[in-house]
Amino acid sequence: MHELLQSRLSENSAQKQVFQPRFFYLSNVEDELQLKKLLAENPHIRVFDELKNQLEELIKSLNPSTLFTKETLHEAVDAHLGTTDIYSYGVWVYYPWSARLVHIVDKEEFIFLRTSRNHYKITPEEQKFLSTRKIGVVGLSVGQSVSVTMAMERLFGEVRLADFDLLELTNLNRIRTGVHNLGLPKVISVAREILEIDPFLNVVCYADGLTEENMDDFFTKGGKLDLLVEECDGIDIKILCRYKARELGIPIVMEASDRGLLDVERFDLEPNRPILHGLIDHLDPQKAKILKTSEEKLPYMLPIVGFETLSTRLKASALEVGQSITTWPQLASAVTFGGGLTADVSRRIMLNEYNESGRYYVDLEELVRNTTEHKTDNIWVAPVAPLSSEEMIRLADTITLKPTSLQLSESVILELLTAANLAPSSGNNQPWKWLYRHNRLFLFLEQSRSYSFWDVDNVFAYVGLGAALENLILKTRQKGYDVQLSHFPKKQNSTLVAVISFIASDAISSEPSTPLDGFLTEHITTRVTNRNNGSRTVLSQEKFSELHNVLQNNTESSLHILNQETELTNVASIITACERLRFLHPEGHREFFQHELRWPDATGKLSEDGLDLSTFDLSSSDILGLRLAKSPEVISMLRTWQKGKGLERFSKKLILNSSAVGLVTLSGSDNTSLLHAGQAIQRVWLMANAMGLAVQPVMAPLYLFNYYHHNAHLLPEFMRSELKALHTKFNQLFVIKDSQRPVFLFRLAIANPPKVRSLRLPVEKTVVWANSPKEVIVRS
């Protein structure tokens, strides 16, 4: 049995390049002999003879005003045949790939009959003109539907098909063919389908696809093309064929199978027209030749198909390419619809009924939809009003002040605050507000800036304020003074965070200045978040010891370091999974994309707060991925599908290319302890930068674990269960004790310094001056 199957498979393989039918005219003796021989040697050939019905159709079509009876129609057919035997009339067409022999009327009558029901949507004169047209079709996943539709309307006399691919089972979601054609070149499959509809059409196949080498041949051999339908996947060919079409003055039509996008470039009328409407003028066409992965192609593909105008489902699917799917999705309904659109526009171009270039959308989902649909407002608004100067002064004046504070000049205070405001904060939200009154600085939590869905009880806001206090203390000591702090002086109020009194440096201080303090102070202005990709460089144990040493006086805080490759792989999976969940959550998504992230404006001016996109070390495909992820509708779809693995790729490579990942934990449980933790974090960061190490917070796990700890019941079930497992894995990986509270997670790397640094609000916008009861100055 195996041998028999193998022999049949070999026979089929030999037929895979055959697409031309054979014609037999029985009025020709040689043809009659050849057909007899064919039938004798191939008894399995099936014969189809419906010529009599065709002749009846012909008679009625030639005499549309005559009402025939059955008898008179038979008489008219006999008269039409005359002395010609019905078996010898017309032509017998043999299709070798299907072993079918079909009897049809000859070419002129065939064309007349096959196009008669086009009249007068297409007039006979127009049909005759179209039969002289030559059309090229590049790419046959979508091009199959276009080609067959144009063949059905008989919009060409010759079609040139180019595609290098073979039919695969996954193609059958949108290419109308049978499983018996699997493994067949797409060009051969489409050519056969066209010639089974109309054997008199001329079909030329380019089974190697369109290439630089055969492009001239494709466009001009046997006469210049009148129209090109471009539907190929290759970015380089997509671009190069347009240059060639422009050179030869050939119009191009492209259909994208998403939202009914139809693109027309009339190079025949506009010889200097920018290719693809100028959408890719900023990209290097030569680089297109070497693109391999979907990620590399993304920066080219998205401008071509129109990034902002993609359907929500295609945007969401794009984030899944290379994750849960292998390539861009296409649906049979869209491809079939696109075939009709393209054929219609192509016909009108060739008949000189449409003379413009343009990009058009025939979006069925927009045209046929529920009229009650409405979009929710996605603008992030802090639910807390900004602190007023009056409220700050009122709170400050309720504090019993002691001891006496030195009076420092305004310039010195500004210098101290400038240093303090250079501290890091969650999402660079800069949650500090200062009041200078009674020769003291009052530090307030500005919740209108610090509010975060994830930051239950202001945990991370207080950590940021602690970092600002550490900068202030270090800078004050460098100036020859010292400070005395009163944390949360109004126990029932968590907005007034600290009162800072200034004292002489020789006064009693619980934490005298040290050489290490002086060293760290020098790096306040150079401390930076470095989001550049690094190299997997192994750091010495001495470097980690130096980082631990800066915490020796802070008994509440501990530093945990992971630096083994397996550890980094494990922590990368936790961090990236938490970032995915953060994006998938509606509030988390809105907060990050609408509040934290700053997109470049037209002037290139950097934002004074938030995370400016220009500070990220992102490839062009990463940026496009972020733009895709920015859409709440896209995220809603991914959340419904419980997908979104593509959202993890933004930071995964950063973690895997790091030297270590560090975690600062806190043993205290009150807000003052959080301030101390912020001071410890700032010292570690300053030291790491001083040692030439790149530092980047990767806080998504801590944000989500903090929220999970307080509000797990408010999370969707799939997030809740995944976060529970991630939290357990995280605690085991860092060996966190029950008494320890994670407050800062960061990566350490050897990386180039960032070209752009996050900015800060001008210090004048963060301080209110009211040193005397009559003096209240707010500078903007």
Side-chain angles (χ1 to χ4, degrees):
M1 183 64 182
H2 290 178
E3 291 78 7
L4 180 59
L5 288 172
Q6 190 61 48
S7 66
R8 292 297 174 89
L9 286 172
S10 298
E11 291 174 16
N12 289 344
S13 180
Q15 289 283 325
K16 282 191 174 181
Q17 298 299 324
V18 176
F19 67 92
Q20 293 289 0
R22 291 177 62 186
F23 293 82
F24 296 94
Y25 291 90
L26 297 192
S27 57
N28 181 292
V29 175
E30 182 61 29
D31 278 9
E32 183 178 13
L33 291 174
Q34 289 293 328
L35 183 55
K36 283 182 179 179
K37 181 180 179 184
L38 178 69
L39 291 170
E41 293 177 352
N42 299 276
H44 59 283
I45 290 176
R46 291 177 295 164
V47 178
F48 300 85
D49 187 358
E50 294 294 324
L51 186 74
K52 185 178 179 182
N53 288 335
Q54 295 170 44
L55 290 173
E56 289 177 352
E57 276 193 294
L58 179 64
I59 296 300
K60 288 188 287 185
S61 296
L62 290 169
N63 302 277
S65 61
T66 302
L67 184 62
F68 289 96
T69 64
K70 189 174 183 179
E71 291 75 17
T72 58
L73 185 59
H74 286 171
E75 290 172 359
V77 168
D78 290 341
H80 184 81
L81 284 170
T83 59
T84 304
D85 177 73
I86 192 167
Y87 285 100
S88 300
Y89 191 91
V91 60
W92 291 84
V93 184
Y94 176 58
Y95 294 98
W97 54 87
S98 60
R100 289 179 294 201
L101 181 66
V102 185
H103 193 187
I104 59 175
V105 292
D106 205 357
K107 184 176 181 178
E108 185 176 338
E109 293 176 342
F110 181 91
I111 294 173
F112 171 74
L113 271 179
R114 212 178 67 71
T115 62
S116 62
R117 297 197 184 186
N118 289 349
H119 305 165
Y120 290 100
K121 286 263 188 147
I122 304 174
T123 67
E125 293 75 21
E126 289 171 334
Q127 201 81 65
K128 185 175 182 181
F129 172 77
L130 290 170
S131 71
T132 66
R133 300 300 88 188
K134 297 176 176 62
I135 294 179
V137 182
V138 184
L140 294 176
S141 287
V142 175
Q144 180 258 5
S145 180
V146 178
S147 302
V148 172
T149 304
M150 290 194 296
M152 290 167 70
E153 284 192 10
R154 216 169 201 278
L155 302 186
F156 54 78
E158 176 177 304
V159 64
R160 300 169 194 167
L161 307 174
D163 196 309
F164 63 86
D165 227 345
L166 304 179
L167 276 169
E168 297 174 331
L169 190 54
T170 53
N171 296 141
L172 268 57
N173 78 314
R174 62 197 183 280
I175 296 180
R176 186 186 60 212
T177 191
V179 292
H180 59 282
N181 281 329
L182 293 178
L184 197 67
K186 288 179 181 177
V187 287
I188 303 300
S189 174
V190 176
R192 289 177 177 180
E193 188 172 4
I194 289 172
L195 291 168
E196 285 173 352
I197 293 169
D198 190 332
F200 299 106
L201 290 170
N202 186 27
V203 181
V204 183
C205 290
Y206 289 77
D208 293 328
L210 186 61
T211 65
E212 287 188 72
E213 291 73 26
N214 68 18
M215 195 168 291
D216 284 331
D217 189 88
F218 181 84
F219 274 88
T220 62
K221 186 177 181 181
K224 189 180 76 171
L225 288 178
D226 296 290
L227 178 80
L228 176 67
V229 176
E230 187 279 299
E231 301 291 352
C232 69
D233 294 330
I235 305 296
D236 57 331
I237 297 302
K238 194 176 281 286
I239 294 171
L240 288 173
C241 75
R242 281 171 166 78
Y243 283 116
K244 178 59 69 174
R246 186 170 67 177
E247 174 192 326
L248 296 172
I250 297 171
I252 293 184
V253 181
M254 175 185 74
E255 200 283 326
S257 301
D258 181 62
R259 296 191 60 217
L261 166 60
L262 189 78
D263 194 272
V264 182
E265 295 168 278
R266 295 301 302 268
F267 296 125
D268 54 329
L269 304 178
E270 303 170 82
N272 298 317
R273 183 176 184 82
I275 68 166
L276 287 161
H277 316 290
L279 293 170
I280 61 165
D281 284 355
H282 61 292
L283 298 171
D284 180 3
Q286 294 303 314
K287 190 177 179 182
K289 298 179 183 180
I290 59 174
L291 302 176
K292 300 293 183 185
T293 66
S294 296
E295 184 176 358
E296 291 172 336
K297 294 177 182 178
L298 204 61
Y300 285 79
M301 279 302 300
L302 289 181
I304 289 173
V305 297
F307 174 83
E308 297 296 343
T309 52
L310 291 178
S311 68
T312 300
R313 280 187 178 266
L314 190 59
K315 286 180 180 178
S317 300
L319 288 168
E320 288 298 306
V321 173
Q323 304 297 324
S324 60
I325 55 178
T326 56
T327 188
W328 295 71
Q330 292 175 312
L331 293 178
S333 54
V335 169
T336 304
F337 183 60
L341 282 177
T342 307
D344 180 89
V345 171
S346 297
R347 179 186 72 250
R348 290 190 287 124
I349 287 173
M350 290 185 292
L351 294 177
N352 201 31
E353 294 177 352
Y354 165 61
N355 302 303
E356 296 182 7
S357 298
R359 176 161 281 193
Y360 307 89
Y361 293 89
V362 188
D363 188 349
L364 285 179
E365 289 189 25
E366 183 65 25
L367 294 170
V368 185
R369 61 184 176 87
N370 295 324
T371 57
T372 57
E373 287 180 0
H374 64 278
K375 291 186 178 181
T376 57
D377 186 5
N378 194 53
I379 303 301
W380 187 93
V381 178
V384 183
L387 267 175
S388 68
S389 303
E390 293 76 14
E391 177 67 8
M392 294 167 68
I393 293 169
R394 186 191 66 77
L395 283 170
D397 286 349
T398 61
I399 306 300
T400 302
L401 300 172
K402 46 182 182 178
T404 302
S405 180
L406 294 175
Q407 183 173 358
L408 305 181
S409 68
E410 182 176 327
S411 62
V412 171
I413 294 298
L414 283 173
E415 195 174 348
L416 298 180
L417 292 180
T418 299
N421 290 0
L422 288 174
S425 55
S426 180
N428 193 28
N429 59 29
Q430 303 170 53
W432 37 76
K433 197 68 178 288
W434 306 92
L435 169 68
Y436 187 64
R437 187 165 177 79
H438 307 309
N439 298 330
R440 293 170 175 82
L441 279 172
F442 294 79
L443 173 59
F444 291 85
L445 170 62
E446 179 54 278
Q447 292 189 66
S448 67
R449 299 190 61 79
S450 71
Y451 173 81
S452 168
F453 175 78
W454 307 110
D455 197 3
V456 183
D457 295 337
N458 300 309
V459 169
F460 304 108
Y462 289 135
V463 167
L465 294 177
L469 282 173
E470 182 63 20
N471 275 3
L472 183 81
I473 292 167
L474 290 172
K475 192 66 179 177
T476 301
R477 289 174 178 170
Q478 186 193 57
K479 300 297 290 183
Y481 307 102
D482 212 331
V483 301
Q484 284 194 334
L485 295 175
S486 173
H487 299 114
F488 298 99
K490 290 185 70 66
K491 301 303 180 186
Q492 72 277 18
N493 186 289
S494 57
T495 302
L496 178 52
V497 173
V499 181
I500 302 103
S501 300
F502 299 100
I503 59 177
S505 59
D506 56 355
I508 297 175
S509 176
S510 58
E511 294 183 19
S513 181
T514 65
L516 178 59
D517 285 353
F519 176 75
L520 295 178
T521 306
E522 293 299 324
H523 290 87
I524 288 175
T525 57
T526 58
R527 184 212 61 82
V528 67
T529 298
N530 189 336
R531 299 183 178 91
N532 286 344
N533 203 354
S535 57
R536 177 75 180 98
T537 304
V538 178
L539 301 179
S540 66
Q541 193 57 47
E542 287 75 14
K543 287 190 180 292
F544 297 133
S545 297
E546 289 186 64
L547 294 177
H548 282 283
N549 288 340
V550 299
L551 297 182
Q552 58 187 355
N553 293 327
N554 192 317
T555 57
E556 291 181 301
S557 300
S558 301
L559 176 62
H560 310 248
I561 297 286
L562 301 179
N563 64 334
Q564 300 300 312
E565 191 167 352
T566 54
E567 293 175 330
L568 292 179
T569 300
N570 287 329
V571 77
S573 68
I574 297 172
I575 292 169
T576 54
C578 286
E579 289 189 344
R580 167 175 49 83
L581 293 175
R582 182 190 182 191
F583 287 171
L584 287 178
H585 193 283
E587 291 296 331
H589 178 269
R590 177 164 39 241
E591 184 175 298
F592 180 77
F593 283 97
Q594 299 294 336
H595 176 54
E596 283 191 20
L597 198 61
R598 300 291 186 269
W599 301 84
D601 66 12
T603 65
K605 182 181 178 182
L606 297 183
S607 171
E608 294 176 340
D609 62 355
L611 305 178
D612 201 294
L613 195 63
S614 57
T615 66
F616 289 71
D617 182 23
L618 297 175
S619 66
S620 53
S621 59
D622 288 336
I623 293 172
L624 286 170
L626 274 177
R627 289 176 65 193
L628 288 170
K630 183 181 179 182
S631 165
E633 292 80 16
V634 166
I635 294 301
S636 175
M637 203 151 279
L638 291 174
R639 184 169 57 250
T640 300
W641 300 339
Q642 294 188 24
K643 297 295 183 183
K645 280 286 186 179
L647 300 171
E648 299 184 3
R649 61 178 172 230
F650 301 119
S651 57
K652 186 173 184 179
K653 60 186 176 185
L654 292 175
I655 306 301
L656 296 179
N657 289 335
S658 298
S659 298
V661 171
L663 175 70
V664 175
T665 59
L666 173 66
S667 58
S669 58
D670 62 5
N671 290 341
T672 300
S673 297
L674 291 170
L675 296 177
H676 292 159
Q679 291 183 252
I681 290 163
Q682 179 66 349
R683 294 176 73 86
V684 169
W685 199 326
L686 290 169
M687 177 56 76
N689 279 178
M691 293 190 297
L693 297 177
V695 177
Q696 179 190 355
V698 280
M699 295 290 286
L702 304 194
Y703 293 157
L704 270 67
F705 297 158
N706 177 56
Y707 188 87
Y708 174 83
H709 176 73
H710 292 86
N711 296 315
H713 63 287
L714 298 178
L715 293 169
E717 171 56 33
F718 82 94
M719 288 189 181
R720 188 162 60 243
S721 59
E722 188 172 359
L723 274 177
K724 181 179 180 180
L726 290 169
H727 195 193
T728 300
K729 183 179 177 182
F730 183 86
N731 288 342
Q732 292 172 346
L733 191 59
F734 281 100
V735 194
I736 299 173
K737 300 175 183 177
D738 291 340
S739 60
Q740 293 177 317
R741 185 181 189 181
V743 290
F744 186 62
L745 184 66
F746 61 101
R747 59 179 280 264
L748 292 170
I750 302 297
N752 293 327
K755 295 179 181 178
V756 179
R757 297 181 57 171
S758 295
L759 299 184
R760 292 292 185 275
L761 293 165
V763 67
E764 292 82 4
K765 289 185 178 181
T766 67
V767 60
V768 174
W769 301 91
N771 202 32
S772 66
K774 294 182 180 180
E775 177 190 31
V776 179
I777 303 173
V778 182
R779 294 182 175 88
S780 61

